[in-house]
Amino acid sequence: MPRMVHIKTTEEIDMMRPACHHAADTLVMIEPHIRPGMTTDDINGLVHEFTIKAGAIPAPLNYHGFPKSVCTSVNHVVCHGIPGNKKLKNGDIINVDVTSILNGWHGDTSKTFYVGDAGIRARKVTEIARKALEIGIAAVQPGATLGDIGHAIQVYVESERCSVVREYCGHGIGRVFHEEPQVLHYGNPGSGLKLKPGMVFTIEPMVNLGRKEVKLLGDGWTVVTRDKSLSAQFEHTLAVTENGVEILTLPSS
Ligand code: MF3
Ligand code: CO
Ligand code: CO
């Protein structure tokens, strides 16, 4: 059985939009709550409530045993941080990664936020990760390849003397949280799968201020930079259209 990339109809993409909007709306909801003294468990509670109230399901909860409803990744945590009772402090950065299931469809989006006043290094890695996602999205159009996306991101991030994490990548998404294809955030132009209208996937570059190597902590989830340098990430769920790309995870208003 070859690895199958599901091409979605416009009707299917219409059905994904509410889930994608909900995930984006959750980030809008959470932003004003992020301040020194709050815990990542507080964020988890807010995301969980907001999701259930909308008739949606937080996809992370119990996903391969993940214990919470959202991923919260602070400072040198690259991704998949588990909410807990540690308090955020002034100058921290935190990625909040929200995945909502609504009417059986998934929407996946994340942002890195500043906690209070950000220092120069926090700003640098965060703004480079924000722009890396933008540059990746700009490379999406029918006829381009997955390698074009990865290459554009890698060249930009490395030109800023930061690094791209290799072990985790973007992914196809729809009725299933993680499906084909894998969307690497590094690569060679013209290589890999050719993009076609109806492909739906995430781009979610993880950018480290220092070296690219990561390690998995003993909890089986939390991924950190080996050199303890700061790491930032932004994510959108996207559809390839006839003319280019549509960002599905935009807020509903
Ligand atoms: N939202 C993450 C992604 O962008 C996946 C989180 S899986 C979890 O693909 F189990 F950690 F929640
Ligand atoms: Co994702
Ligand atoms: Co995500």
Side-chain angles (χ1 to χ4, degrees), residues 97 99 108-109 169-171 173 177-178 202 204 233 235 237:
D97 190 342
T99 313
D108 189 7
T109 184
C169 58
H171 49 90
I173 181 168
F177 192 168
H178 295 105
T202 72
E204 49 182 295
Q233 180 181 25
E235 175 177 23
T237 299

Side-chain angles (χ1 to χ4, degrees), residues 59-71 79-82 95 97-99 107-110 169-171 173 177-178 202-204 206 221 233 235:
L61 188 59
N62 301 319
Y63 181 76
H64 294 282
F66 191 80
K68 299 282 179 162
S69 297
V70 64
C71 297
C79 63
H80 305 165
I82 303 172
N95 174 276
D97 190 342
V98 174
T99 313
D108 189 7
T109 184
S110 84
C169 58
H171 49 90
I173 181 168
F177 192 168
H178 295 105
T202 72
I203 302 179
E204 49 182 295
M206 284 142 272
W221 284 103
Q233 180 181 25
E235 175 177 23

Side-chain angles (χ1 to χ4, degrees), residues 19 22 51 54-60 99-107 174-175 177:
H22 181 268
T51 305
I57 298 164
T99 313
S100 304
I101 310 173
L102 194 51
N103 302 321
W105 295 88
H106 291 72
R175 288 193 180 276
F177 192 168

Side-chain angles (χ1 to χ4, degrees), residues 174-194:
R175 288 193 180 276
V176 172
F177 192 168
H178 295 105
E179 61 185 34
E180 293 300 317
Q182 291 194 37
V183 181
L184 305 182
H185 304 112
Y186 61 94
N188 297 313
S191 71
L193 189 73
K194 195 185 259 203

